[in-house]
């Protein structure tokens, strides 16, 4: 039985299977990707970016069809999937429009009898290892800047997203990308560590996924002296200093956390609230959580989709139950829905203590941990008391005060009076155990890039 399967998370039904690649097929992909690099790197950037523009058009043209594929694979509501695909189009267009400027030569000051400058060159064939939670978006933010730069790509997607993985490869070909400049492979984890990363034709790996997966891939890449970009977990804090409209604030916090049914690395997992608003905030948040009901992710306007799989549900519920057993108080989310599939109730937790389950873990589902603080200093200390450092947000009617607090947070991204956003022009990435490197924005093309010094004496 292949590990690459489409399993409907709303029912648990196996819909389709795809064969896992053999070692010979993986080796063949490495050679084809390496050969394609020789010509793709020499293709004028105007032609490379023209392909990306066409990719964006195809995603927009096929939005509903593509959204239905991931709805079946990982349970994302179709309207939410269409939102993901719209962002994908923006990403490909962003690099189509800006890639040439991003790689312009950078002149250095030096002696009058010489010229010195930095050229940004591609490095070769890259491996991308992508997760199931945003099947198209995660690939786009890796593929778009690197294809624009002139690198080629071998893509290993999550085993539960084989159909969307195959469709993405076809979209590139339909857009005019040379067939071997982007190759989809149904590889195993062992083939990544034992076949791809040791091969000299591979020049680096980008992984978005769990802390455990990132650690394993980084170890294998380091052993083989390969560059890595890692976007891993997060336990992002949202600090609420004050609010002129608490109903609106709770709606923002709740809606942002519930995006993708809570399955996002940069989701607000810890709500840090000043004590004068804490009780009212908790009551309103709990009420919102209790109102949620399971809905068919294929339905128009569906708001509570299942988790990505029955296994994901089991892991999430085990984390929640262990956190409660360790002394946390559960205000909403007890028990289970009387329905098949991977649906879970939104969970609201308080009294989650340091050193206990849930405090230092990423709860990957619709769980809200709410903390009471009495000072800004206490809020910052709590926000930074985590092994992760992906994103964060601070809210206040005084934007300058919020910015001062935000500047003290150890995270790769800080948002002031705004929920966290994934946008094509905003560099995305974290610090500490949330990973290394940046994707999107003007920094993305510098990751797998030979910043080549050119020195010419007159």
């Amino acid at each position: 039985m292949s590990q690459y399967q489409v399993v409907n998370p709303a029912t648990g039904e196996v819909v389709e299977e795809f064969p896992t690649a053999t070692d010979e097929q993986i080796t063949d992909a490495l050679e084809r990707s390496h050969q394609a690099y020789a010509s793709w790197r020499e293709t004028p950037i105007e032609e490379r970016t023209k392909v990306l523009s066409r990719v964006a058009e195809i995603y927009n043209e096929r939005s509903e069809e593509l959204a239905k594929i991931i709805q079946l694979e990982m349970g994302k509501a179709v309207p939410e999937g269409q939102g993901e695909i719209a962002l994908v189009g923006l990403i490909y267009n962003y690099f189509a429009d800006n890639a040439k400027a991003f790689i312009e030569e950078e002149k250095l000051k030096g002696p009058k009898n010489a010229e010195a400058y930095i050229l940004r060159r591609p490095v070769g064939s890259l491996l991308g290892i992508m997760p199931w939670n945003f099947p198209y978006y995660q690939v786009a933010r890796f593929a778009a800047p690197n294809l624009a730069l002139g690198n080629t790509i071998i893509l290993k997607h999550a085993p539960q997203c084989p159909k969307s993985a195959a469709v993405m490869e076809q979209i590139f070909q339909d857009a005019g990308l040379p067939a071997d400049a982007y190759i989809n492979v149904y590889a195993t984890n062992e083939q990544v560590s034992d076949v791809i990363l040791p091969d000299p034709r591979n020049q680096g790996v980008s992984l978005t996924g769990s802390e455990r997966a990132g650690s394993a891939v980084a170890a294998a890449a380091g052993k083989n002296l390969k560059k890595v970009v890692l976007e891993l977990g997060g336990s992002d804090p949202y600090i609420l200093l004050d609010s002129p409209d608490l109903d609106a604030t709770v709606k923002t916090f709740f809606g942002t956390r519930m995006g993708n049914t809570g399955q996002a690395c940069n989701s607000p997992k810890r709500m840090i609230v000043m004590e004068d608003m804490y009780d009212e905030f908790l009551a309103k948040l709990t009420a919102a959580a209790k109102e949620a009901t399971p809905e068919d992710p294929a339905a128009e306007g569906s708001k509570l989709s299942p988790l990505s799989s029955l296994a994901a549900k089991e892991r999430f519920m085990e984390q929640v139950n262990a956190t409660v057993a360790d002394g946390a108080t559960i205000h909403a989310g007890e028990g289970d829905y009387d329905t098949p599939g991977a649906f879970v109730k939104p969970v609201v937790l308080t009294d989650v203590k340091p050193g206990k389950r849930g405090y230092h873990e990423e709860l990957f589902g619709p769980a809200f941990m709410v903390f009471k603080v009495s000072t800004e200093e206490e809020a910052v200390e709590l926000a930074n008391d985590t092994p992760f450092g992906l994103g964060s947000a601070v809210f206040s009617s005084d934007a300058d005060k919020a910015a001062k607090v935000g500047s003290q947070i150890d995270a790769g991204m800080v948002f002031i009076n705004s929920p966290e956003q994934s946008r094509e022009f905003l560099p995305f990435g974290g610090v500490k155990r949330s990973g290394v490197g940046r994707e999107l924005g003007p920094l993305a093309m510098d990751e797998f890039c030979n910043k080549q010094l050119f020195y010419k004496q007159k």
Side-chain angles (χ1 to χ4, degrees), residues 5-171:
Q5 297 180 329
V6 176
V7 181
N8 185 348
T11 63
E13 174 194 5
V14 177
V15 178
E16 193 172 359
E17 293 191 24
F18 293 73
T20 305
T22 64
D23 287 357
E24 291 74 18
Q25 289 172 323
I26 298 296
T27 302
D28 177 63
L30 282 161
E31 178 60 22
R32 287 160 46 209
S33 184
H34 178 67
Q35 292 296 330
Y37 169 66
S39 58
W40 183 243
R41 67 176 295 180
E42 299 303 327
T43 302
I45 191 168
E46 292 81 5
E47 294 183 29
R48 297 200 299 261
T49 54
K50 184 178 179 181
V51 170
L52 297 187
S53 294
R54 180 56 188 146
V55 169
E57 290 176 351
I58 295 174
Y59 272 97
N60 291 329
E61 291 165 0
R62 299 175 62 182
S63 175
E64 184 173 1
E65 170 203 346
L66 297 174
K68 287 180 178 178
I69 291 173
I70 59 174
Q71 175 259 311
L72 197 60
E73 286 182 327
M74 50 74 62
K76 191 183 300 254
V78 169
E80 197 168 356
Q82 290 178 296
E84 176 181 338
I85 291 158
L87 176 57
V88 167
L90 292 173
I91 291 170
Y92 284 111
N93 274 327
Y94 176 80
F95 288 102
D97 294 341
N98 295 288
K100 187 173 182 180
F102 289 160
I103 62 171
E104 285 183 352
E105 65 181 43
E106 181 181 342
K107 292 187 177 181
L108 305 175
K109 291 183 179 180
K112 294 182 179 180
N113 65 337
E115 292 180 2
Y117 45 92
I118 295 170
L119 301 177
R120 284 169 168 77
R121 305 289 199 193
V123 295
S125 173
L126 307 173
L127 172 66
I129 304 174
M130 295 296 131
W132 47 261
N133 56 336
F134 293 91
Y136 302 115
Y137 159 72
Q138 302 284 3
V139 171
R141 69 186 198 184
F142 166 63
N146 283 297
L147 289 173
L149 182 59
N151 293 319
T152 56
I153 289 172
I154 294 175
L155 201 291
K156 177 201 178 303
H157 219 312
Q160 70 193 81
C161 295
K163 189 162 186 174
S164 56
V167 167
M168 279 183 273
E169 182 182 49
Q170 187 61 53
I171 286 174

Side-chain angles (χ1 to χ4, degrees), residues 307-343:
L307 294 187
S308 64
S309 66
L310 292 172
K313 174 182 177 178
E314 184 178 335
R315 286 193 299 271
F316 175 73
M317 293 307 300
E318 190 274 329
Q319 284 182 301
V320 170
N321 291 335
T323 301
V324 173
D326 274 344
T329 302
I330 185 166
H331 300 263
E334 291 184 277
D336 203 352
Y337 290 120
D338 183 20
T339 181
F343 291 95

Side-chain angles (χ1 to χ4, degrees), residues 234-416:
S235 187
D236 293 8
Y238 273 29
I239 297 176
L240 179 58
L241 300 176
D242 58 75
S243 172
D245 185 344
L246 194 57
D247 286 331
T249 299
V250 170
K251 184 177 180 180
T252 296
F253 280 39
F254 183 79
T256 306
R257 181 69 176 112
M258 291 300 295
N260 207 35
T261 322
Q263 300 168 115
C265 298
N266 62 327
S267 181
K269 301 181 177 76
R270 295 179 296 146
M271 316 293 183
I272 301 172
V273 184
M274 285 294 176
E275 60 184 353
D276 60 333
M277 294 177 297
Y278 176 84
D279 290 340
E280 187 177 0
F281 177 92
L282 178 60
K284 292 178 181 295
L285 184 72
T286 300
K290 288 182 175 180
E291 290 175 2
T293 55
E295 299 180 43
D296 180 355
E300 183 70 28
S302 176
K303 296 220 173 21
L304 181 58
S305 299
L307 294 187
S308 64
S309 66
L310 292 172
K313 174 182 177 178
E314 184 178 335
R315 286 193 299 271
F316 175 73
M317 293 307 300
E318 190 274 329
Q319 284 182 301
V320 170
N321 291 335
T323 301
V324 173
D326 274 344
T329 302
I330 185 166
H331 300 263
E334 291 184 277
D336 203 352
Y337 290 120
D338 183 20
T339 181
F343 291 95
V344 296
K345 294 181 179 180
V347 174
V348 178
L349 298 168
T350 60
D351 305 313
V352 181
K353 302 299 184 183
K356 300 298 184 180
R357 192 75 185 270
Y359 188 87
H360 289 300
E361 290 187 17
E362 178 181 32
L363 299 181
F364 215 59
F368 300 79
M369 293 188 290
V370 187
F371 299 86
K372 182 196 298 185
V373 294
S374 57
T375 66
E376 295 172 15
E377 292 75 18
E378 188 182 354
V380 171
E381 182 179 1
L382 181 56
N384 289 334
D385 189 18
T386 172
F388 299 106
L390 187 56
S392 61
V394 184
F395 292 80
S396 171
S397 55
D398 184 340
D400 290 337
K401 179 172 73 171
K404 181 180 178 181
V405 170
S407 68
Q408 301 172 67
I409 298 176
D410 299 329
M413 301 174 287
V414 179
F415 291 79
I416 304 301

